Amino acid sequence: MALSSIENIFAQARDTSQEDIDRICSGILENLYDPEKSAECMNQLRKLYLIIHASSIQPCLTSNLVGTMVNMVEAMDPGKTKECLLCQKILTEILPCDEKDLGMETGIKNNPKEAANCSLIYLIQGDKEKCWTSLLPKVEKWLSSQNIEFDVQSKLLSFLIAISLEHQSMLQKGQIESVNAYVCDVLVKASLKQAPNPYTINPFKKEQTMVTEVDGTPSRNIFTVLNIGQYYTEDQMMNIFCFSTLYKWIYNCSKEEEGRETVKSIFHNLVGKTIDYCFRILDQCERKPKIPSDVELQNSCLLETINLLDLVCKIDEGQVARVYQEIRRQHNRLSQDLSKTRLMIPVLQFFLNHSRTVAHDPHDVFKQYFHKSLSWGFTDTAIAFETVMFILDNLETLCEDSTILSNHFPNIFKILAWNPRSFVSEFCEILPALMSPTSSVEIFHILLDLPCITICLDVIEKCNTEDVATVPETEPNSSMEAYQHPFYRPMFLFFTRSEGGQGDTINRLAAFHKILEDYCRHPRVVVCSQVVPALLRIWFEVILEEASTDFVSHLLPVLIERCGLLYNIPEFKADVKRLISQYFVKLLKKHPTILLDQQSDILDFLMTPANITNREDFFANMVWGVGEYCSTTNDERCTTENIRRFFEVLEALTYELSGMIASTTTSSVSHAKITCMLMSTLAKLSTRCQDLIPRAILCCTKVARQQEQGYLDTDSQETIINRAQELTNILKVPNFAATALNPSSDIFTGRWHQDSSSLPTILRGVYQIISTE
């Protein structure tokens, strides 16, 4: 209801005619300076702002009204603050426009207050008529004078920072140095005395008290943002403002300067003062605050301070040794307090950026965070976000200079398992960096078990925060009870381990999946299962591109096992099985020698008909792969003996499957598909060992006869019989069968359809001769 009302209001605003707009503008001009009609004027200003904001085409405002609003903003009359702010908002919507319409054709005002009030207008208007070019020297001069009030100073400095963000080249070296000197003075020369109470009724009482530290003791050092006072002087307010904007100013002005030495010379004095100021804040952050809520203030200042120190050390590497010791001390302090975990991220960033300069190996620092801190911190949204962003921002450096990612990926995956909706795209980028020859298989198991990891984390979290009754050593009936059971507890601990290299998976995984089934419809678990296929696809692409044949050979038994060992969410199982089946074919095409490397595992898999039921696509692709790649063309080890071993297993399976289809009414279409594939593979293998051709013909003939009297539907029955007859006819001409069933790789290049000696050309010629006769 509320949304529809808002839509109606916006629709009315969009449909406002130009005549109505002109009427509103006239009313504003008439009422703007009339104190008695202030409320009416405010309503008209609000209405005009809504119309401009909602309209896709900018309405036409009279130049008289635009000029009047500019004058209002310039003056910023304290008695008409609301009207001035609304005028400013309206101007920001209609800018940029012609200078004459703004009434600014006379150029930049010489009054710093008026220029400061119009600074937002100048920024949006752009450098038309060299507006910025003429204003920048004046802003530098006004800031250097230090005789203007805080509100004006802050607006002028904000204007300079905005210019430095997008148009840093407009700032001359001398102007940057002048502003740096101004900032240095503001940072170190602010008063330590509080401002007098502006509401005092005693005009003769001039007593001023000192500002205090966060712990309540009087301050004896330079004033900083962490000093506490009841009222602040203008130089103290500017000190706070400068610290809040210091990072942006230094970063913007240094990023486009050519040469480190040039940047270093420009910021030399400011770097030193910034470090002194930051060290003072670090000291204040160690004090216990008198007011508990000031802890958040300390934490915020600590984050900004460490980021500032990191930035100035990039500008002047000579300061790194001095700062590095202080950051190490801060790390030792923060690592003892779990509530400070989020503050560790900028510390890690500093170590990552500057450890080489001081020849220090920060491995222990990173291990402490990713092993210990992240073990519990993954449930904190802020910590999870900061950690993921830190990894993304430093992906290349972390991969090259440390083993943190490849060793502590289980803890990193906890972030995704706990927040599966939030970090999918980020983990798609991170995943390849986590993979190494030693960790890839373990990561494969983690991806397949990611829903189970989510369950384990949720169960452990609930058991740690709720009173859960101890369960006797009987068979548990739920996940919560299983966690209390001595048989299942080690499994929970394995799935929530903090470090890799402790084993790829566990025994009795099927039993563990069974006990976790009460969570199969839990929203977080369902979403997590939907994330897995996207990551699994990326994992396979990396393996396909970079893995060696030896690695793929060792991977094959894992694929065979895990294709039928997945957590029981039907959609999840179907997606994962389909992916494994698809990428198995791609891996086999690139590494065909794995067929003989893992021959015994493959034969064990193929001789079990039950595998057809729960791994149909994978089983079909395995049968196809044996027929396609088990040849001397792909592997010199494909001797007659090896071919015969594959043939005999598949032959027995074909008879068994055909007999089962013929004798039962519950056979499915998939069984017909597998039967056809088995016959084709037998035919291909027999052409590579021609002693087997009679057995292949006999097998195809028997299958056809059995299916003539079977219970399959008509289409499936005809498919099997036709395939059997086709293969039988081809195999009766062994030399032709060898060529037809084992085509050269030239068939994929198009040569077969052009070469005069190729099979298609010969067949076309024979067909023409026969048809002519």
Side-chain angles (χ1 to χ4, degrees):
M1 188 68 182
L3 287 175
S4 61
S5 300
I6 293 172
E7 268 302 317
N8 290 335
I9 293 172
F10 271 89
Q12 291 173 12
R14 283 191 292 268
D15 296 337
T16 305
S17 66
Q18 186 61 47
E19 292 181 2
D20 292 335
I21 294 173
D22 292 340
R23 194 177 300 110
I24 294 171
C25 293
S26 300
I28 293 172
L29 287 172
E30 183 179 341
N31 301 327
L32 192 58
Y33 295 103
D34 188 345
E36 295 180 358
K37 296 185 178 181
S38 175
E40 184 179 348
C41 181
M42 282 294 296
N43 287 333
Q44 290 171 328
L45 285 169
R46 291 190 188 103
K47 197 169 186 179
L48 180 61
Y49 176 71
L50 178 61
I51 291 169
I52 296 172
H53 185 74
S55 300
S56 56
I57 300 174
Q58 183 173 304
C60 180
L61 305 185
T62 63
S63 58
N64 188 19
L65 175 63
V66 174
T68 301
M69 288 193 293
V70 170
N71 293 333
M72 287 286 292
V73 173
E74 284 180 353
M76 199 60 73
D77 185 353
K80 288 186 172 293
T81 303
K82 292 180 180 180
E83 289 88 340
C84 292
L85 291 176
L86 262 175
C87 287
Q88 187 181 63
K89 294 294 290 183
I90 292 171
L91 288 171
T92 58
E93 290 288 334
I94 65 173
L95 295 180
C97 64
D98 194 289
E99 297 276 340
K100 293 180 180 180
D101 292 337
L102 289 174
M104 298 170 65
E105 64 273 10
T106 55
I108 300 298
K109 305 294 183 182
N110 290 319
N111 186 316
K113 183 175 181 180
E114 291 181 356
N117 291 336
C118 288
S119 59
L120 183 59
I121 296 175
Y122 293 139
L123 282 172
I124 299 173
Q125 183 69 1
D127 197 27
K128 292 185 177 182
E129 307 296 330
K130 301 297 181 181
C131 168
W132 295 349
T133 306
S134 59
L135 180 60
L136 287 174
K138 294 183 179 182
V139 172
E140 175 198 348
K141 178 182 176 182
W142 289 330
L143 286 177
S144 300
S145 69
Q146 297 187 1
N147 293 322
I148 49 180
E149 57 195 44
F150 162 72
D151 186 53
V152 175
Q153 290 185 67
S154 61
K155 287 179 180 178
L156 293 177
L157 186 58
S158 296
F159 173 78
L160 286 177
I161 293 171
I163 294 292
S164 70
L165 177 62
E166 297 292 344
H167 308 279
Q168 192 267 338
S169 58
M170 294 191 67
L171 294 172
Q172 299 176 7
K173 179 181 176 182
Q175 292 173 339
I176 296 175
E177 289 176 335
S178 176
V179 175
N180 288 347
Y182 162 75
V183 173
C184 286
D185 287 343
V186 171
L187 289 178
V188 300
K189 293 183 179 180
S191 170
L192 286 175
K193 292 185 178 181
Q194 297 185 39
N197 186 348
Y199 308 106
T200 182
I201 59 174
N202 186 351
F204 302 103
K205 188 175 181 181
K206 300 292 184 180
E207 182 181 333
Q208 288 181 291
T209 58
M210 302 290 290
V211 294
T212 65
E213 304 292 349
V214 289
D215 59 2
T217 59
S219 179
R220 303 299 179 190
N221 209 320
I222 63 171
F223 178 90
T224 74
V225 66
L226 278 178
N227 282 119
I228 308 299
Q230 189 173 6
Y231 304 102
Y232 293 98
T233 61
E234 290 205 343
D235 63 336
Q236 291 168 349
M237 292 293 292
M238 199 61 205
N239 178 287
I240 295 171
F241 183 83
C242 279
F243 174 74
S244 303
T245 57
L246 186 56
Y247 184 94
K248 280 295 181 185
W249 170 253
I250 296 176
Y251 177 78
N252 294 341
C253 292
S254 62
K255 64 182 178 181
E256 293 185 14
E257 289 290 340
E258 296 183 1
R260 181 180 295 276
E261 290 304 316
T262 304
V263 176
K264 182 178 176 181
S265 64
I266 294 176
F267 288 94
H268 176 71
N269 291 332
L270 183 57
V271 164
K273 299 299 183 184
T274 299
I275 292 175
D276 291 340
Y277 191 96
C278 289
F279 278 11
R280 166 84 169 117
I281 290 180
L282 293 179
D283 175 69
Q284 290 175 302
C285 287
E286 295 181 28
R287 296 173 180 264
K288 185 177 180 180
K290 183 178 180 181
I291 302 173
S293 60
D294 284 343
V295 171
E296 289 302 318
L297 175 63
Q298 285 180 309
N299 292 344
S300 300
C301 291
L302 184 59
L303 280 171
E304 185 70 10
T305 297
I306 297 175
N307 287 332
L308 256 175
L309 290 173
D310 180 39
L311 178 61
V312 297
C313 284
K314 289 178 183 176
I315 294 174
D316 186 356
E317 289 188 351
Q319 304 288 345
V320 172
R322 171 190 174 195
V323 175
Y324 203 90
Q325 293 300 320
E326 182 64 24
I327 297 298
R328 287 188 68 178
R329 189 174 69 82
Q330 291 298 321
H331 169 262
N332 293 336
R333 180 177 71 87
L334 295 173
S335 61
Q336 305 302 317
D337 187 351
L338 293 178
S339 65
K340 305 287 187 182
T341 299
R342 186 188 174 193
L343 304 178
M344 293 290 292
I345 293 295
V347 174
L348 297 182
Q349 187 67 63
F350 184 91
F351 284 134
L352 196 65
N353 292 340
H354 305 291
S355 58
R356 285 186 175 182
T357 306
V358 294
H360 172 250
D361 184 3
H363 179 78
D364 291 342
V365 175
F366 284 93
K367 183 177 180 180
Q368 190 276 337
Y369 181 82
F370 282 96
H371 181 87
K372 180 181 177 182
S373 301
L374 204 56
S375 292
W376 70 270
F378 67 89
T379 59
D380 186 296
T381 306
I383 293 175
F385 176 80
E386 295 289 350
T387 303
V388 170
M389 292 301 105
F390 171 78
I391 294 173
L392 273 179
D393 293 341
N394 302 279
L395 208 52
E396 186 175 345
T397 307
L398 288 171
C399 291
E400 291 178 357
D401 297 346
S402 73
T403 58
I404 291 298
L405 297 183
S406 57
N407 286 347
H408 294 90
F409 56 86
N411 259 359
I412 296 172
F413 272 111
K414 288 178 186 177
I415 295 175
L416 180 63
W418 194 258
N419 308 278
R421 295 182 186 274
S422 305
F423 299 112
V424 179
S425 60
E426 288 80 5
F427 268 82
C428 287
E429 292 185 53
I430 292 172
L431 178 59
L434 303 178
M435 296 171 62
S436 69
T438 56
S439 67
S440 292
V441 173
E442 190 173 351
I443 289 175
F444 177 70
H445 285 288
I446 284 181
L447 290 176
L448 297 186
D449 293 327
L450 203 60
C452 298
I453 295 174
T454 301
I455 297 170
C456 293
L457 294 175
D458 191 74
V459 168
I460 293 174
E461 180 75 9
K462 287 180 178 177
C463 289
N464 290 339
T465 56
E466 300 175 6
D467 293 331
V468 181
T470 303
V471 180
E473 295 187 12
T474 56
E475 187 63 24
N477 297 315
S478 68
S479 301
M480 296 287 284
E481 292 181 5
Y483 180 63
Q484 306 294 325
H485 197 281
F487 177 78
Y488 292 103
R489 174 67 74 93
M491 301 181 189
F492 279 89
L493 298 180
F494 176 80
F495 275 100
T496 57
R497 63 196 183 278
S498 299
E499 197 169 348
Q502 301 178 20
D504 297 336
T505 186
I506 58 174
N507 296 325
R508 305 182 299 277
L509 186 57
F512 192 58
H513 286 165
K514 186 72 175 175
I515 203 65
L516 299 181
E517 282 190 352
D518 58 322
Y519 261 84
C520 68
R521 289 302 168 193
H522 188 282
R524 180 177 280 159
V525 176
V526 172
V527 173
C528 191
S529 71
Q530 295 167 349
V531 167
V532 172
L535 294 173
L536 199 58
R537 188 175 287 107
I538 293 171
W539 186 91
F540 272 117
E541 289 295 338
V542 174
I543 296 300
L544 198 61
E545 183 177 347
E546 299 183 9
S548 65
T549 300
D550 286 343
F551 179 88
V552 176
S553 177
H554 287 97
L555 176 64
L556 183 55
V558 178
L559 298 181
I560 292 173
E561 177 189 22
R562 290 311 309 265
C563 192
L565 201 56
L566 299 168
Y567 184 63
N568 191 26
I569 298 177
E571 300 84 356
F572 166 72
K573 292 175 71 173
D575 290 341
V576 171
K577 286 180 179 181
R578 182 173 60 254
L579 273 174
I580 294 177
S581 301
Q582 291 172 354
Y583 278 97
F584 165 71
V585 173
K586 295 180 181 181
L587 290 171
L588 192 57
K589 181 178 180 180
K590 188 173 182 179
H591 306 280
T593 57
I594 64 175
L595 281 175
L596 289 184
D597 291 341
Q598 300 295 338
Q599 187 180 36
S600 59
D601 285 318
I602 293 173
L603 291 175
D604 288 342
F605 175 72
L606 292 175
M607 66 176 57
T608 308
N611 289 329
I612 298 174
T613 303
N614 61 0
R615 282 171 273 199
E616 178 193 332
D617 290 340
F618 187 79
F619 192 94
N621 288 347
M622 181 72 78
V623 171
W624 175 87
V626 170
E628 190 71 15
Y629 296 108
C630 186
S631 69
T632 53
T633 305
N634 298 302
D635 192 340
E636 294 179 353
R637 296 174 298 170
C638 281
T639 61
T640 301
E641 181 183 352
N642 285 324
I643 292 174
R644 188 181 293 274
R645 289 183 65 191
F646 277 116
F647 184 91
E648 289 174 351
V649 169
L650 294 176
E651 180 186 38
L653 180 63
T654 304
Y655 281 128
E656 184 175 353
L657 185 59
S658 177
M660 182 179 71
I661 294 173
S663 62
T664 180
T665 58
T666 59
S667 299
S668 64
V669 175
S670 63
H671 287 132
K673 172 186 171 183
I674 297 292
T675 303
C676 291
M677 201 165 286
L678 283 167
M679 290 190 295
S680 298
T681 297
L682 288 174
K684 290 179 182 180
L685 292 175
S686 66
T687 61
R688 298 163 197 162
C689 179
Q690 296 200 354
D691 292 345
L692 299 173
I693 288 180
R695 291 174 62 177
I697 293 174
L698 178 62
C699 183
C700 291
T701 303
K702 285 189 173 182
V703 169
R705 288 176 181 172
Q706 281 181 319
Q707 300 313 312
E708 288 175 354
Q709 301 172 354
Y711 294 97
L712 276 175
D713 61 272
T714 304
D715 290 341
S716 299
Q717 191 178 60
E718 287 182 358
T719 300
I720 294 176
I721 293 172
N722 290 339
R723 176 62 61 86
Q725 290 174 347
E726 290 169 1
L727 293 172
T728 301
N729 292 335
I730 292 174
L731 290 173
K732 286 179 179 178
V733 187
N735 292 335
F736 173 75
T739 306
L741 295 178
N742 301 285
S744 168
S745 58
D746 289 336
I747 193 172
F748 300 107
T749 64
R751 180 185 170 194
W752 260 43
H753 299 277
Q754 301 167 2
D755 196 324
S756 60
S757 62
S758 68
L759 180 62
T761 305
I762 294 172
L763 289 175
R764 282 196 297 269
V766 171
Y767 174 77
Q768 289 175 357
I769 293 171
I770 294 173
S771 61
T772 302
E773 292 177 352

